[in-house]
Amino acid sequence: QVHLVESGGGVVQPGGSLRLSCAASEFTFSNFGMHWVRQAPGKGLEWVAFIQYDGSKMYYADSVKGRFTISKDNSKNTLYLQMDSLRPDDTALYYCAKDPNPYDFWGGYFDQWGQGTLVTVSS
Amino acid sequence: VLTQSPGTLSLSPGESATLSCRASQNIRDSYVAWYQQKPGQAPRLLIYGTSMRATGIPDRFRGSGSGTDFILTISRLEPEDFAVYYCQQSSRSLPFGPGTKVEI
């Protein structure tokens, strides 16, 4: 059973930085692309970023482009999200999610999700 | 942009639910996925490729549609089916709809 565990959330001031991690297990992490998806309190879901299985290509939502960086360390089975220049509207529960397509561009949906880590941007 | 209707659906166990998801434009080669989310839990994939059930999803969940109009049908609602349901399109930026709450 795929297991995804996010960590690194917390309270940060506007303009600050935070790095999220997602530890993956029970599947061959190096074969799959990974996503970050967020959910503001009481709101819907928003895709944030995707990284290809080998880390060679990354894609971002317009709302975070230039401020967030997604990366993955296949030797550590870990996905990361470096968040800089944080804004109050970045406050959300951040989920890592697995892409279903091995060795390929994204499958266009999310077949496994972690439980999320909460990021609060407030002064 | 995806819209979902109704915003809230009030039903009883045993009844059927029909949830609608409409895309603002017909994007070629794009598909819809559906997710279920219960309070305090992560979303769970129900349907992908518009009509394919994910592993372990009971056959009372059925996805259909094409073009700009997509439907999730839940037959014979069980108590555990009361939740929020999101549709999501496989196009650029992987947009989600705002959700439909199915309540008792």
Side-chain angles (χ1 to χ4, degrees), chain A residues 35 37 39 43-47 50 60-62 65 93 95 106-116, chain B residues 31-33 35 37 40-45 47-49 86 88-98:
Chain A
H35 302 263
V37 178
Q39 186 170 34
K43 302 295 184 183
L45 299 161
E46 180 189 18
W47 171 77
F50 167 76
Y60 299 93
D62 290 342
K65 200 174 294 182
L93 188 62
Y95 295 101
W106 68 31
Y109 61 96
F110 319 96
D111 65 351
Q112 301 289 342
W113 299 66
Q115 286 303 306
Chain B
Y31 300 91
V32 161
Y35 303 86
Q37 188 177 34
Q41 296 186 18
R44 177 174 73 141
L45 176 68
I47 301 289
Y48 64 95
Y86 294 96
Q88 175 253 318
Q89 191 174 32
S90 64
S91 59
R92 179 183 177 274
S93 82
L94 303 176
F96 289 87

Side-chain angles (χ1 to χ4, degrees), chain B residues 47-59:
Chain B
I47 301 289
Y48 64 95
T50 300
S51 61
M52 305 296 292
R53 272 188 302 277
T55 303
I57 301 303
D59 60 8

Side-chain angles (χ1 to χ4, degrees), chain B residues 9-96:
Chain B
L9 203 48
S10 298
L11 294 166
S12 299
E15 291 189 303
S16 294
T18 301
L19 286 64
S20 173
C21 176
R22 175 165 287 177
S24 59
Q25 55 180 315
N26 185 359
I27 298 176
R28 201 171 119 179
D29 297 331
S30 73
Y31 300 91
V32 161
W34 291 90
Y35 303 86
Q36 177 193 69
Q37 188 177 34
K38 297 178 182 179
Q41 296 186 18
R44 177 174 73 141
L45 176 68
L46 299 175
I47 301 289
Y48 64 95
T50 300
S51 61
M52 305 296 292
R53 272 188 302 277
T55 303
I57 301 303
D59 60 8
R60 65 177 183 274
F61 290 89
R62 180 173 175 269
S64 62
S66 63
T68 59
D69 292 293
F70 302 88
I71 299 286
L72 175 69
T73 303
I74 313 171
S75 306
R76 307 177 309 277
L77 281 162
E78 298 283 344
E80 62 267 26
D81 298 336
F82 293 90
V84 178
Y85 292 84
Y86 294 96
C87 63
Q88 175 253 318
Q89 191 174 32
S90 64
S91 59
R92 179 183 177 274
S93 82
L94 303 176
F96 289 87

Side-chain angles (χ1 to χ4, degrees), chain A:
Chain A
Q1 175 139 349
V2 168
H3 202 45
L4 299 169
V5 180
E6 302 91 338
S7 60
V11 180
V12 61
Q13 291 190 338
S17 298
L18 213 54
R19 188 174 87 151
L20 307 183
S21 300
C22 171
S25 59
E26 305 304 323
F27 71 103
T28 307
F29 182 72
S30 58
N31 291 357
F32 291 88
M34 296 292 294
H35 302 263
W36 287 99
V37 178
R38 67 185 180 183
Q39 186 170 34
K43 302 295 184 183
L45 299 161
E46 180 189 18
W47 171 77
V48 172
F50 167 76
I51 186 165
Q52 205 156 295
Y53 72 100
D54 58 358
S56 62
K57 292 183 180 177
M58 293 79 77
Y59 300 87
Y60 299 93
D62 290 342
S63 58
V64 306
K65 200 174 294 182
R67 300 187 300 121
F68 289 11
T69 303
I70 187 172
S71 61
K72 70 192 307 250
D73 186 334
N74 286 338
S75 68
K76 296 182 178 179
N77 287 353
T78 303
L79 175 72
Y80 302 100
L81 185 68
Q82 176 67 41
M83 303 186 296
D84 299 318
S85 303
L86 281 160
R87 310 188 300 221
D89 62 357
D90 294 318
T91 294
L93 188 62
Y94 284 74
Y95 295 101
C96 69
K98 175 181 163 291
D99 191 88
N101 277 10
Y103 298 123
D104 204 353
F105 189 56
W106 68 31
Y109 61 96
F110 319 96
D111 65 351
Q112 301 289 342
W113 299 66
Q115 286 303 306
T117 187
L118 183 62
V119 173
T120 303
V121 184
S122 173
S123 54

